[in-house]
Amino acid sequence: MSDVKTPEIGAAGWARWAWRQLTSMRVALLLLLALAVAAVPGSIFPQQPQDPVAVAEYVRDNPTLAPWLERLGFFDVYASPWFAAVYLLLFTSLVGCILPRMRKHARALRTPPPRTPRRLERFPAHSREETELDVATVLDRAERHLRGSGPWPTYRVTRLDDDGVAASVSAERGYLRETGNLLFHTALVGVLVCLVVGDFTHYRGQAVVVEGRGFANSRLAYDSFEAGRGFRPESLVPFRITLDRFESTFDPATLLARDFTAEVTVDEPGREERAGTIKVNHPLSVGGAKIYLMGNGYAPQIEVHDAAGELAFSGPVLFLPQDTVYSSQGVVKVPDVTSGPQIGLVGYLLPTAVEEPAGFWRSVHPLPLDPALVLSVWTGDLGLDAGLPQNVYELDEEGMTQVTEQTAAGERPRTVVVRPGQTVDLPEGLGTVTLGEELPRFVALDLRHDPTLTVILVFALAAILGLGLSLFTPRRRVWVRARHTPEGTTVVEVAALARGDDPGLEAEVDRVRLAIAGQEEER
Amino acid sequence: MNIAEMSTMLVWGAATAYAIALVSFTMLLARKADAGVAARQAAVVGAGAPAPGAADLDPASPTPGRAKAEGIARSTVLVGLALHAGAVVTRGIAAGRAPWANLYEFVLVGALVAVLVLVALERRRTIPFLGTAVMGIVVLFLAVAQVNFFVPADGVQPALQSYWLVIHVGVAVIATGVFTVGFVTSVLQLLRAGRARGGALASPRWGWLATTPGVGALESLAFRLNAVGFVLWSFTLVAGAIWAEHAWGRYWGWDPKEVWTFVIWVVYAGYLHARTTRGWAGARAAWLVVVAYVCVIINFTLVNLLFPGLHTYAT
């Protein structure tokens, strides 16, 4: 602190001062606490990367507060400049702290244990007794005991001739404590580096696949694709995956899901076609990436013939499950009619449909025991010609009118109920709709590639190993001094010192005493 | 009575035994406080002469009433532990899986670990405050779990069908149990240090504090417990990341549960650093343990119940 008084401290002086502050334990501690506090808002406010829909809702519901939160980065805390500032400062402080300690530790590993202190009786663990043994025997036994019989010595031991009359043994153990501490902190830096490299090189794609169909590993085949800045499209291995079958089982009593299994065929270039399964918790590894099963549902085969009797639509349509009994919502958009307005069909697929009371349909089981498609009919302009991207699961009601009917209860939307294999007339002579005999399933697959996975795991495990070593390795120094007395006996003094708390220190002194007396403990 | 109902009965049985232990530990505390006051009065009267009651300050010296309360406390804890272990095992049999897949079971097993740590620590001598506090928390946990968090024993959804359930949640439960006892020890350390400074804590009402181990011994015990908890928590974090990579396709995604697991880890890391920082060692570090334990409680109550996230099935 003396530099502060000098008037011309200079930029270098300030830098040195700032560096010393940053690498001090106190600042590291404050940064740690700041990191904990900074992480909390991300669990309170909805986060853009995790749940953009929730963020949009929050912004709608809190029009005054939300713009401020937005500006301050509260909707993406973990990518915000202030969160980055805290952890970057913390890691700078950490590196600045461990580098000098590594140098110091490397020196300590080469230095023999310190000289035996003059007065051993002032140490917390101490014993003194007289024996008939001579000085050399005492010290030999002490040295043998302290080195231990393991593959490497428990204690590092040096033998010292103190002042011609007395001789002593100085021993030290627990270098692993600092080694572990440094390993832990270095491994944390490794984890951070892996996070950055992983973010730079990863890619991730999502695809929805219907039974009997497949997809290829190319950017265009995915419904959504996202990659780090270091990603090269050429690096995608051009494999192909076909969904052969999807099976699900449910608890018969509670109807809660018990198992989802997707049976697939994998076609990798240069390899034979092979079968694979993807389950929740059991991703499939293909072409350096992993494929996860993230969702499933029904994709009924639907055909629509227009008023002229021409086939206007044919194909599987994804119906997204809304609850545990798979009441699934979907939309059929039929733009290509021969003449007249375009048709939109909106409604539910009910795997086990029950009508109760009349006019109200619901599903009572997630498996297709008695499926029905319950649709309401819209006509008009689907808005597909505007060239704007549209949500395939929603109908743009802007240019559409719902077909209704007069009932005793007033004007009600007209619904059409279709069973598998049936063809049903659409109202107002719009045409017919047909539901296929089979009810194909679809799966939502998530494919991810992150080259750092193995390395980050190694660093994480190294961190835990280092942590265990640094917290539980006892760091002790033991001294044994033997002095020949004029009466022909030998006075033996044993003392021990530990760094930090060490409840085993007294016991250590006792073991050394016993070893010198020739009563080595049975182990 | 089927095996699931038997588990519930055993939980109530364990809670009852613990409640009796709680009362006995409290009586033991009160007696010690009385003995402390008597000793001090005797010392004042005796003025310099060896105080006759001073021997009572030694926790090992038995008086008839105390020996009885101590015996009841120690034996009911063991009875409760046996019933509690039975409850956990029958719950696992009834559900056909490791019995720590939801909040109810998490609290049930976490409480069991806390009692196990207590029994291990009180193996050689009784520390009434530790017994009182741990029994109080455990009885509260068991009652709240039964009344508010109970769900029937059942299988689990596909996302939870993994051996990582046994490893990740199992270690998290053990860590929580260890942290609970570490927290109690740190609170005791703070009270003891407060008493040394004088003020309200130095009044005769808090006389029992004088019979607990010293501040240094408590600090060292709290450190060992929290250090073990911290290593277990680090393992929970890493095991959770591995499982998340298997189940959700990413090892870290800032899900609310992940956020709070991280916050807890960082605060305990702060505690370990504070212990060796000048100006922070001692009371301030112990306060960090209190903050960290509050985060642990938030993590398995508020976070499960209020913040939507991928861990919601834990409720």
Coordinates of all heavy atoms in Angstrom, one line a residue, chain A residues 258, chain B residues 88-106 109 151-157 160-162 165-166 169 313 315:
Chain A
R258 N -45.1 -44.9 -19.5 CA -44.1 -45.7 -18.9 C -42.9 -46.0 -19.8 O -41.8 -46.2 -19.4 CB -44.7 -47.0 -18.4 CG -45.6 -46.9 -17.2 CD -44.7 -46.5 -16.0 NE -45.5 -46.1 -14.9 CZ -45.7 -44.8 -14.5 NH1 -45.0 -43.9 -15.2 NH2 -46.4 -44.5 -13.5
Chain B
V88 N -38.6 -46.2 4.4 CA -37.9 -46.0 3.1 C -37.9 -47.3 2.3 O -38.2 -47.3 1.1 CB -36.5 -45.4 3.3 CG1 -35.7 -45.4 2.0 CG2 -36.6 -44.0 3.9
V89 N -37.5 -48.4 2.9 CA -37.4 -49.7 2.2 C -38.8 -50.1 1.7 O -38.9 -50.5 0.5 CB -36.8 -50.7 3.1 CG1 -36.9 -52.1 2.5 CG2 -35.3 -50.4 3.5
T90 N -39.8 -50.0 2.5 CA -41.1 -50.5 2.1 C -41.6 -49.6 0.9 O -42.3 -50.0 0.0 CB -42.1 -50.5 3.2 OG1 -42.0 -49.3 4.0 CG2 -41.9 -51.7 4.1
R91 N -41.3 -48.3 1.0 CA -41.7 -47.4 0.0 C -41.1 -47.8 -1.4 O -41.7 -47.8 -2.4 CB -41.3 -45.9 0.4 CG -41.5 -44.9 -0.7 CD -42.9 -44.4 -0.7 NE -43.1 -43.5 -1.8 CZ -44.3 -42.9 -2.0 NH1 -45.3 -43.0 -1.2 NH2 -44.4 -42.1 -3.1
G92 N -39.8 -48.1 -1.3 CA -39.1 -48.6 -2.5 C -39.7 -49.9 -3.1 O -39.9 -50.0 -4.3
I93 N -40.1 -50.8 -2.1 CA -40.7 -52.1 -2.6 C -42.0 -51.8 -3.2 O -42.4 -52.3 -4.3 CB -40.8 -53.0 -1.4 CG1 -39.4 -53.4 -0.9 CG2 -41.6 -54.3 -1.8 CD1 -39.5 -54.2 0.4
A94 N -42.8 -50.9 -2.6 CA -44.2 -50.6 -3.1 C -44.1 -49.9 -4.5 O -44.9 -50.2 -5.4 CB -44.9 -49.6 -2.1
A95 N -43.1 -49.1 -4.7 CA -43.0 -48.4 -6.0 C -42.2 -49.2 -7.0 O -42.3 -48.9 -8.2 CB -42.3 -47.0 -5.8
G96 N -41.4 -50.2 -6.5 CA -40.7 -51.0 -7.5 C -39.5 -50.3 -8.1 O -39.1 -50.5 -9.2
R97 N -38.9 -49.3 -7.3 CA -37.7 -48.6 -7.8 C -37.0 -47.9 -6.6 O -37.5 -48.1 -5.5 CB -38.2 -47.5 -8.8 CG -39.3 -46.6 -8.2 CD -39.6 -45.5 -9.0 NE -40.8 -44.8 -8.5 CZ -40.9 -44.1 -7.4 NH1 -39.8 -43.9 -6.7 NH2 -42.0 -43.6 -7.0
A98 N -35.9 -47.2 -6.9 CA -35.2 -46.5 -5.8 C -36.2 -45.4 -5.3 O -36.8 -44.7 -6.0 CB -34.0 -45.8 -6.4
P99 N -36.3 -45.4 -3.9 CA -37.4 -44.5 -3.3 C -37.0 -43.1 -3.2 O -37.1 -42.5 -2.1 CB -37.6 -45.2 -2.0 CG -36.3 -45.8 -1.6 CD -35.6 -46.2 -2.9
W100 N -36.5 -42.4 -4.2 CA -36.2 -41.0 -4.2 C -36.5 -40.3 -5.5 O -35.6 -39.6 -6.0 CB -34.8 -40.7 -3.6 CG -33.7 -41.5 -4.2 CD1 -33.1 -41.3 -5.4 CD2 -33.0 -42.5 -3.6 NE1 -32.1 -42.2 -5.6 CE2 -32.0 -43.0 -4.5 CE3 -33.1 -43.2 -2.4 CZ2 -31.2 -44.1 -4.2 CZ3 -32.3 -44.3 -2.1 CH2 -31.3 -44.7 -3.0
A101 N -37.7 -40.5 -6.0 CA -38.0 -40.0 -7.4 C -39.0 -38.7 -7.3 O -39.2 -38.2 -8.3 CB -38.7 -41.0 -8.2
N102 N -39.5 -38.4 -6.1 CA -40.3 -37.2 -6.1 C -40.0 -36.5 -4.8 O -39.3 -36.9 -3.9 CB -41.8 -37.5 -6.2 CG -42.2 -38.6 -5.3 OD1 -41.9 -38.6 -4.1 ND2 -42.8 -39.7 -5.8
L103 N -40.6 -35.3 -4.6 CA -40.3 -34.4 -3.5 C -40.6 -35.1 -2.2 O -39.8 -35.0 -1.2 CB -41.1 -33.1 -3.6 CG -40.8 -32.1 -2.5 CD1 -39.4 -31.7 -2.4 CD2 -41.6 -30.8 -2.8
Y104 N -41.7 -35.8 -2.1 CA -42.0 -36.6 -0.8 C -40.9 -37.5 -0.4 O -40.4 -37.5 0.7 CB -43.4 -37.3 -1.0 CG -43.6 -38.3 0.1 CD1 -44.0 -37.9 1.4 CD2 -43.6 -39.7 -0.1 CE1 -44.2 -38.8 2.4 CE2 -43.8 -40.6 0.9 CZ -44.1 -40.1 2.1 OH -44.3 -41.0 3.2
E105 N -40.5 -38.3 -1.4 CA -39.5 -39.3 -1.1 C -38.1 -38.7 -0.8 O -37.3 -39.1 0.0 CB -39.4 -40.3 -2.3 CG -40.6 -41.2 -2.4 CD -40.7 -41.9 -3.7 OE1 -39.9 -41.7 -4.6 OE2 -41.6 -42.7 -3.9
F106 N -37.9 -37.6 -1.6 CA -36.6 -36.8 -1.4 C -36.5 -36.4 0.1 O -35.5 -36.6 0.8 CB -36.6 -35.6 -2.3 CG -35.2 -35.0 -2.4 CD1 -34.3 -35.3 -3.3 CD2 -34.9 -34.0 -1.5 CE1 -33.1 -34.7 -3.4 CE2 -33.7 -33.3 -1.5 CZ -32.7 -33.7 -2.5
V109 N -36.0 -39.4 2.5 CA -34.7 -40.0 2.6 C -33.7 -39.0 3.1 O -32.8 -39.4 3.8 CB -34.3 -40.6 1.2 CG1 -32.9 -41.2 1.2 CG2 -35.3 -41.6 0.7
V151 N -47.4 -38.3 -2.3 CA -48.0 -38.9 -3.5 C -48.0 -40.4 -3.4 O -47.1 -41.0 -2.8 CB -47.2 -38.5 -4.8 CG1 -47.5 -37.1 -5.2 CG2 -45.7 -38.7 -4.6
P152 N -48.9 -41.1 -4.0 CA -48.9 -42.6 -3.8 C -47.7 -43.2 -4.5 O -47.2 -42.7 -5.5 CB -50.2 -43.0 -4.6 CG -51.0 -41.8 -4.7 CD -50.1 -40.6 -4.7
A153 N -47.2 -44.3 -4.0 CA -46.1 -45.0 -4.5 C -46.5 -45.5 -5.9 O -47.5 -46.1 -6.1 CB -45.7 -46.2 -3.6
D154 N -45.6 -45.2 -6.9 CA -45.9 -45.6 -8.3 C -44.6 -45.6 -9.1 O -43.6 -45.2 -8.6 CB -46.9 -44.5 -8.9 CG -47.6 -45.0 -10.1 OD1 -47.3 -46.2 -10.5 OD2 -48.4 -44.3 -10.7
G155 N -44.7 -46.2 -10.3 CA -43.6 -46.2 -11.2 C -43.3 -44.8 -11.7 O -44.0 -43.8 -11.3
V156 N -42.3 -44.6 -12.5 CA -42.0 -43.2 -13.0 C -42.0 -43.1 -14.5 O -41.9 -44.1 -15.2 CB -40.6 -42.8 -12.5 CG1 -40.6 -42.5 -11.0 CG2 -39.5 -43.8 -12.8
Q157 N -42.2 -41.9 -15.0 CA -42.3 -41.7 -16.4 C -40.9 -42.0 -17.1 O -39.9 -42.0 -16.4 CB -42.7 -40.2 -16.6 CG -41.6 -39.2 -16.2 CD -42.1 -37.8 -16.3 OE1 -42.8 -37.3 -15.6 NE2 -41.6 -37.2 -17.4
L160 N -37.5 -40.5 -16.2 CA -36.8 -40.8 -14.9 C -36.3 -42.2 -14.9 O -35.7 -42.6 -13.9 CB -37.8 -40.6 -13.8 CG -38.2 -39.1 -13.5 CD1 -39.1 -39.0 -12.4 CD2 -36.9 -38.3 -13.2
Q161 N -36.6 -43.0 -16.0 CA -36.2 -44.4 -15.9 C -34.7 -44.5 -16.3 O -34.3 -44.8 -17.5 CB -37.0 -45.2 -16.9 CG -38.4 -45.4 -16.4 CD -39.3 -46.0 -17.5 OE1 -38.8 -46.5 -18.5 NE2 -40.6 -45.9 -17.3
S162 N -33.8 -44.3 -15.3 CA -32.4 -44.3 -15.6 C -31.7 -44.6 -14.3 O -32.2 -44.2 -13.2 CB -32.0 -43.0 -16.1 OG -30.6 -42.9 -16.2
L165 N -31.0 -41.9 -11.8 CA -31.9 -41.5 -10.8 C -31.3 -41.9 -9.4 O -31.3 -41.2 -8.5 CB -33.3 -42.1 -11.0 CG -34.3 -41.9 -9.8 CD1 -34.8 -40.5 -9.8 CD2 -35.5 -42.8 -9.9
V166 N -30.8 -43.2 -9.4 CA -30.3 -43.7 -8.2 C -29.0 -42.9 -7.8 O -28.9 -42.5 -6.6 CB -29.9 -45.2 -8.4 CG1 -29.3 -45.8 -7.1 CG2 -31.1 -46.0 -8.8
V169 N -29.9 -38.4 -7.8 CA -30.8 -38.0 -6.7 C -30.3 -38.6 -5.4 O -30.4 -37.9 -4.4 CB -32.2 -38.3 -7.1 CG1 -33.2 -37.7 -6.1 CG2 -32.6 -37.9 -8.5
Y313 N -41.4 -32.7 -12.6 CA -41.9 -34.0 -12.1 C -41.4 -34.3 -10.7 O -41.8 -35.3 -10.2 CB -41.5 -35.1 -13.1 CG -40.1 -35.0 -13.6 CD1 -39.0 -35.2 -12.7 CD2 -39.8 -34.8 -14.9 CE1 -37.8 -35.1 -13.2 CE2 -38.6 -34.7 -15.4 CZ -37.5 -34.9 -14.5 OH -36.2 -34.8 -14.9
T315 N -42.0 -32.9 -8.2 CA -43.0 -32.6 -7.1 C -44.0 -33.7 -6.9 O -44.3 -34.4 -7.7 CB -43.9 -31.3 -7.5 OG1 -44.3 -31.5 -8.9 CG2 -43.1 -30.1 -7.3

